[in-house]
Amino acid sequence: MILYKQLSLTDIFQDCQNKSDNDKPAFLSLLETHIDIDEIIPISFRNHFYASTGKSRKYPLQAFLWALIIQRIFSIPTDQLLLTFLSYSKPLRDFCGFTKVPDASKITRFKQDLLDELQLVFDNPVEITEPVCQAVDSEKADMTIFDSSGVEAFVTENNPKYANRIIKQLKVYAKTHNFNESYDPYKAAYGSMPPHASVNLEIKQLYTNGHFCYVFKFGIVTNGLGIIRHISFYNKDFLNSHPDIVVEKKSDSPDEDKSVHDSRLLIPALKDFCSKHPLINPQAFLGDAAF
């Protein structure tokens, strides 16, 4: 008897991870075989890209997109380093579709001038994958799960010494003034830290996974299968589009702040998700701030 093993998403992810780490050509072959980038690119993006010039483009749209995807998958930190890899690797150039490596200004202009269209490239797969999710498990596909988190920024405030210095000072202060055992130096430190990083107002203080950090906050919407459906970054543009959100001063309780933060941002994030994908009709809502 032949025994069949049903592969889970974890198995598939692990297989891709192993190929990404140990066999880059095989990993690129997987991408090329299973991802149709032409299907992901919206028509409006293609029209905008090719209509901005009266002559044919030297570098195709697909090549720029593949280059940016490769940059993120392989964690290449800078555009210049990405271009260096493209210069020295003909297989990588061929995979992306470059006959000649563009200069850094071309990559920068592409990202700056076509920012809104790049967002559509991330939104479009939601519509493409929805029928697949429904076919796998319609009940779980109809669920909508919300949570908030953040991307830690490279700022001074995220250095462990920054928080530890403040906590140590508060412990000494409490001991000097004979505070009772109810005094919590960690909560006091949270209350005394600035609400945002000094170099960027968009980098907010957050208490997550048991530690303090300064992050670019975002909310993420997934379905019951764990497939990402929507991401909202809680930046100035998001707050301007939702003037009903009241930004209040933080309390001295990080847990309470996170709970209030999640519940306040849940409905705006779901409204944005539903307005972008009106054909997707979630039936149940779950998460930290559920209703």
Side-chain angles (χ1 to χ4, degrees):
M1 178 183 294
I2 300 175
L3 298 178
Y4 294 95
K5 177 185 177 183
Q6 182 176 357
L7 291 177
S8 66
L9 287 176
T10 303
D11 296 327
I12 296 171
F13 174 79
Q14 190 61 52
D15 183 48
C16 290
Q17 186 69 53
N18 290 337
K19 283 186 169 59
S20 175
D21 293 339
N22 305 313
D23 192 346
K24 295 293 192 295
F27 182 74
L28 293 178
S29 179
L30 276 177
L31 292 180
E32 192 172 28
T33 302
H34 297 287
I35 297 181
D36 184 356
I37 195 133
D38 289 325
E39 183 183 15
I40 298 174
I41 301 172
I43 295 297
S44 58
F45 190 0
R46 198 183 304 275
N47 292 340
H48 188 177
F49 179 80
Y50 288 106
S52 60
T53 178
K55 55 184 180 180
S56 60
R57 288 275 190 174
K58 183 185 296 186
Y59 309 106
L61 174 58
Q62 293 90 333
F64 279 114
L65 291 175
W66 271 126
L68 295 180
I69 291 170
I70 291 300
Q71 183 180 18
R72 293 294 172 261
I73 290 176
F74 294 151
S75 301
I76 302 173
T78 65
D79 292 345
Q80 190 56 57
L81 186 56
L82 170 65
L83 296 175
T84 300
F85 284 147
L86 289 170
S87 297
Y88 285 97
S89 174
K90 186 177 186 302
L92 190 58
R93 286 200 306 275
D94 293 341
F95 171 81
C96 292
F98 286 119
T99 55
K100 180 183 177 183
V101 179
D103 55 51
S105 64
K106 291 285 194 303
I107 299 284
T108 301
R109 263 201 311 273
F110 178 80
K111 292 191 289 188
Q112 290 178 345
D113 297 345
L114 299 166
L115 182 61
D116 293 337
E117 282 75 10
L118 283 170
Q119 179 63 52
L120 294 177
V121 173
F122 289 97
D123 293 336
N124 206 27
V126 176
E127 310 286 352
I128 297 171
T129 56
E130 182 62 19
V132 179
C133 293
Q134 291 290 337
V136 172
D137 190 322
S138 60
E139 185 176 349
K140 290 182 179 178
D142 285 339
M143 292 181 181
T144 299
I145 302 171
F146 171 85
D147 196 9
S148 66
S149 188
V151 179
E152 288 196 43
F154 292 99
V155 292
T156 301
E157 289 83 355
N158 276 335
N159 188 324
K161 294 180 180 179
Y162 178 82
N164 291 337
R165 175 177 55 82
I166 296 175
I167 292 169
K168 184 177 180 180
Q169 290 173 345
L170 289 170
K171 285 182 177 179
V172 172
Y173 180 81
K175 185 176 181 179
T176 302
H177 291 78
N178 297 316
F179 285 5
N180 58 40
E181 294 182 355
S182 63
Y183 177 76
D184 188 341
Y186 294 93
K187 282 189 176 181
Y190 172 79
S192 63
M193 290 177 184
H196 53 75
S198 58
V199 297
N200 189 339
L201 301 182
E202 299 283 0
I203 303 174
K204 307 290 186 181
Q205 185 188 26
L206 182 69
Y207 179 74
T208 182
N209 298 328
H211 76 287
F212 306 117
C213 54
Y214 286 79
V215 303
F216 292 101
K217 291 185 179 181
F218 67 87
I220 184 170
V221 176
T222 70
N223 60 21
L225 295 167
I227 307 299
I228 296 174
R229 306 282 82 190
H230 179 72
I231 297 177
S232 288
F233 275 90
Y234 300 138
N235 50 27
K236 187 185 299 183
D237 292 338
F238 179 85
L239 294 176
N240 288 340
S241 64
H242 297 283
D244 51 313
I245 297 178
V246 179
V247 181
E248 298 177 353
K249 186 178 180 180
K250 65 180 182 178
S251 69
D252 290 335
S253 171
D255 292 320
E256 179 182 346
D257 277 351
K258 188 175 189 307
S259 178
V260 172
H261 176 265
D262 286 356
S263 60
R264 186 176 293 130
L265 297 174
L266 167 63
I267 293 178
L270 291 178
K271 283 182 177 178
D272 286 351
F273 166 62
C274 292
S275 66
K276 285 186 176 182
H277 310 287
L279 298 180
I280 299 177
N281 183 26
Q283 302 297 319
F285 295 93
L286 305 170
D288 287 349
F291 63 92

